[in-house]
Amino acid sequence: MRMSGLLVDRSLAAELVHDLSAATNASATPVIAPFTGEVLHDLPQSSARDVTDAAAAARVAQLAWVRLGFAERRRILLDAHDRLLANREELLDVLQSETGKTRGQAFEEVFQGASVTRYYAVSARSVLRTRRRRAGIPVVLATRVSYKSKGLVGVITPWNYPLSLSLMDVVPALAAGNAVVQKADNQGALTILHARRAFIDAGVPAALWAVVAGDGNEVGNAVVDSVDYVCFTGSTATGTKVGVRAAGRLIGASLELGGKNPLIVLDDVNPQKAAANAVYSCFSSMGQLCVSIERIYVQRAVADEFTKAFVARVDSLVQGAAFDDSTDVGSLTSAAQLERVTAHVTDAIAKGATVLSGGKARPDLGPYFYEPTVLADVTPDMACWANETFGPVVAITVIESEDDAIAAANASEFGLNASVFSGSVARGRRVASRISAGSVNINEGYRATFSSVDAPMGGMKQSGLGRRNGREGLLRFVDARTVAESTGVLTLPRAGREFARLAPAMILLLRILKLARRR
Ligand code: NAD
């Protein structure tokens, strides 16, 4: 049944929320559909007790899961991959209904989620298999490193990319033999529960991946207090609290936080082509994307032509609520987001910024719609200069030299993502090597790095700690265990006389190892 502006069947919503770990008499909170402002469904709110109960059951399920071994886990995860794709139309409906993003931008999440599922299903064994390492004394000792699953991993996710950000942490945690307790944002829980079904149907035990929702402090704290490792994605302010709490328990944490991502447009670009690529980089999911571009630094030689082409393209974006591919940009996700974006733009205009495109809410389209907005003459006294807007607002600044552009890009407390547009890939790479950010894209805004699931992703400076994706994303979820043995070929010295006898041979060994440049 398709409802006005919503694509979620109420009985499907009721069925999915049933999978949430929450007491049967839990209070519920209404979740609003951003396209229309209607109540999408009522979401039960978990308590700290629900988290500890779910954690206890997950720990029991983990004991069997880790014993299954890599081959069986790989089979299950690859089956989940196929089920995600097979169920994608309904999943896209739920995702759009909860977030207000376009069909195409929702599809990007499904693509990323399936991609990361395949990647970890296939690569977990080779990354985590027991390996020999160089022994401290060749022949005399033999050394191996194996990996032990952490046990129970906590995953705390925001509302903006509920599907892909969840799977980027949950799947590697499962692939490494762990259980997961996930704290979903209320706005996004349905998408997570829908995607989770693909995994349960493929053979992941339901208790192994529990999902809770509710108050950030109560439920979030309970998750950090119950697990052996925590992955947090969200704001720098909350991430700092999570990091401090995790440190108090001596558990590890990866923190994927905010950004104020720059794009440098060098003077050797084709301005029309650069403008076309830049627009997508700024307004995907209405800029409610951690790696979205909010600052453009363009070299003077191409500034006029680039800016004109950029603004023309922004002006021609089709905005609206549609559950097909007829729109280019959708809605902001919540009233709080509309308030935040409006405040940044109003402040900038009051302090002298020039609006080149957009700058207004669009209540005629839906309650939280806001025009993609391009600003010029943005100055350090404006809120949007250094603070993350997390919305569809980009500032264009004309800059003289390549060095100035790099300095401006790096002049931020954040260091999450950046982009360099150049007619020469070699020049782009040279500039990229001087940018302080966890990911840098050349002639793409964010998709080149975001989709490269074999490569680590994360932030420098206030943008976070640790990395997801790639080997790094998997190694978070295990403890290394070194086992070294005496081969019996020679006994190591134990008494003073034995040291005196063997020391010259040992010094000779050190010299030979150095000459051979042996690690
Ligand atoms: P947020 O920090 O407000 O909330 C994130 C999650 O943390 C939510 O589930 C929330 O309920 C929970 N939470 C709140 N208080 C908590 C506490 N004390 N302990 C534990 N959990 C708690 O962030 P948000 O507004 O939902 O998301 C937007 C922010 O996320 C932006 O800054 C954006 O840049 C960032 N983000 C970063 C990445 C990344 O990969 N680096 C990805 C997406 C979003």
Side-chain angles (χ1 to χ4, degrees):
M1 182 186 90
R2 301 204 154 193
M3 294 156 46
S4 57
L6 313 178
L7 273 192
V8 181
D9 185 318
R10 283 208 188 278
S11 61
L12 171 66
E15 210 189 298
L16 286 172
V17 299
H18 188 69
D19 294 348
L20 196 77
S21 296
T24 38
N25 60 349
S27 62
T29 193
V31 174
I32 305 296
F35 276 164
T36 62
E38 292 167 75
V39 174
L40 186 57
H41 66 110
D42 289 313
L43 185 72
Q45 298 293 276
S46 312
S47 64
R49 176 69 195 270
D50 295 324
V51 174
T52 49
D53 287 352
R59 283 190 186 281
V60 173
Q62 190 263 340
L63 299 175
W65 179 247
V66 76
R67 275 201 300 272
L68 274 189
F70 286 113
E72 185 57 8
R73 291 201 293 269
R74 168 190 165 125
R75 188 194 64 72
I76 292 172
L77 292 175
L78 288 178
D79 186 16
H81 166 277
D82 293 347
R83 288 171 190 270
L84 270 180
L85 294 185
N87 300 340
R88 69 182 180 280
E89 290 303 325
E90 192 176 79
L91 181 56
L92 288 171
D93 291 347
V94 177
L95 184 46
Q96 280 197 278
S97 299
E98 277 193 305
T99 61
K101 62 181 70 183
T102 65
R103 197 78 174 170
Q105 291 151 9
F107 175 76
E108 275 195 347
E109 284 213 58
V110 175
F111 182 88
Q112 179 79 355
S115 198
V116 85
T117 302
R118 180 207 70 247
Y119 174 75
Y120 282 117
V122 171
S123 64
R125 178 185 209 145
S126 62
V127 175
L128 298 180
R129 74 184 162 82
T130 300
R131 281 194 173 77
R132 283 193 76 142
R133 293 284 183 98
R134 296 283 200 193
I137 301 180
V139 187
V140 176
L141 303 172
T143 303
R144 286 183 179 74
V145 173
S146 62
Y147 295 100
K148 181 180 179 303
S149 315
K150 289 275 182 189
L152 179 59
V153 171
V155 175
I156 301 176
T157 44
W159 45 266
N160 63 327
Y161 273 63
L163 175 60
S164 55
L165 294 176
S166 298
L167 296 187
M168 284 159 83
D169 287 336
V170 171
V171 173
L174 296 179
N178 297 284
V180 170
V181 174
Q182 178 176 10
K183 151 81 177 76
D185 194 282
N186 287 340
Q187 196 88 33
L190 216 53
T191 298
I192 292 164
L193 291 167
H194 194 289
R196 176 178 169 274
R197 286 229 158 156
F199 289 78
I200 306 301
D201 292 346
V204 169
L208 189 77
W209 174 6
V211 180
V212 291
D215 177 69
N217 276 317
E218 182 190 349
V219 178
N221 285 346
V223 168
V224 180
D225 292 347
S226 305
V227 298
D228 306 311
Y229 186 92
V230 63
C231 307
F232 173 85
T233 306
S235 63
T236 297
T238 312
T240 306
K241 285 190 214 164
V242 168
V244 168
R245 199 168 180 103
R249 296 192 56 236
L250 281 184
I251 61 165
S254 60
L255 308 172
E256 302 282 346
L257 311 178
K260 186 74 186 174
N261 308 304
L263 160 58
I264 294 175
V265 183
L266 294 170
D267 55 11
D268 59 354
V269 296
N270 171 332
Q272 297 288 337
K273 222 168 119 185
N277 278 337
V279 170
Y280 195 81
S281 314
C282 302
F283 301 116
S284 182
S285 293
M286 287 296 276
Q288 301 169 119
L289 167 62
C290 53
V291 287
S292 193
I293 299 296
E294 296 196 359
R295 305 180 278 152
I296 296 179
Y297 299 106
V298 52
Q299 275 195 281
R300 187 169 299 282
V302 291
D304 281 351
E305 213 185 323
F306 170 82
T307 306
K308 215 177 285 166
F310 185 82
V311 168
R313 285 199 169 259
V314 175
D315 286 342
S316 69
L317 291 172
V318 178
Q319 186 167 29
F323 288 94
D324 56 27
D325 289 316
S326 60
T327 55
D328 304 316
V329 279
S331 171
L332 289 167
T333 301
S334 63
Q337 276 298 103
L338 178 64
E339 204 177 301
R340 176 175 175 144
V341 170
T342 306
H344 270 204
V345 175
T346 308
D347 168 77
I349 294 171
K351 291 172 181 164
T354 307
V355 178
L356 300 180
S357 182
K360 294 190 305 293
R362 289 291 305 272
D364 52 315
L365 297 176
Y368 312 140
F369 278 83
Y370 198 95
E371 290 172 334
T373 299
V374 187
L375 300 177
D377 306 312
V378 169
T379 49
D381 56 326
M382 299 174 190
C384 69
W385 170 267
N387 302 305
E388 181 182 42
T389 303
F390 210 57
V393 181
V394 62
I396 299 185
T397 303
V398 179
I399 213 123
E400 301 300 332
S401 70
E402 185 179 298
D403 281 349
D404 289 348
I406 294 166
N410 287 338
S412 169
E413 62 174 345
F414 296 109
L416 187 61
N417 182 48
S419 178
V420 182
F421 283 12
S422 171
S424 150
V425 173
R427 188 179 177 201
R429 285 190 193 147
R430 207 176 58 234
V431 171
S433 72
R434 296 173 60 197
I435 303 282
S436 301
S439 52
V440 187
N441 299 266
I442 297 173
N443 295 334
E444 248 295 335
Y446 65 87
R447 286 184 290 185
T449 52
F450 195 68
S451 64
S452 299
V453 293
D454 187 34
M457 174 194 169
M460 295 183 186
K461 301 188 267 184
Q462 295 294 298
S463 291
L465 268 185
R467 294 288 181 272
R468 56 159 58 117
N469 289 352
R471 296 170 58 83
E472 293 83 350
L474 200 57
L475 290 167
R476 291 178 291 173
F477 301 127
V478 290
D479 282 319
R481 182 204 288 120
T482 297
V483 177
E485 62 206 36
S486 166
T487 58
V489 169
L490 198 82
T491 306
L492 291 174
R494 290 161 298 196
R497 288 227 179 104
E498 291 173 2
F499 272 101
R501 189 160 49 82
L502 284 174
M506 292 176 80
I507 285 168
L508 180 64
L509 174 69
L510 286 175
R511 292 204 164 114
I512 292 169
L513 292 177
K514 186 206 153 193
L515 268 179
R517 296 286 187 267
R518 191 180 187 275
R519 281 188 290 123

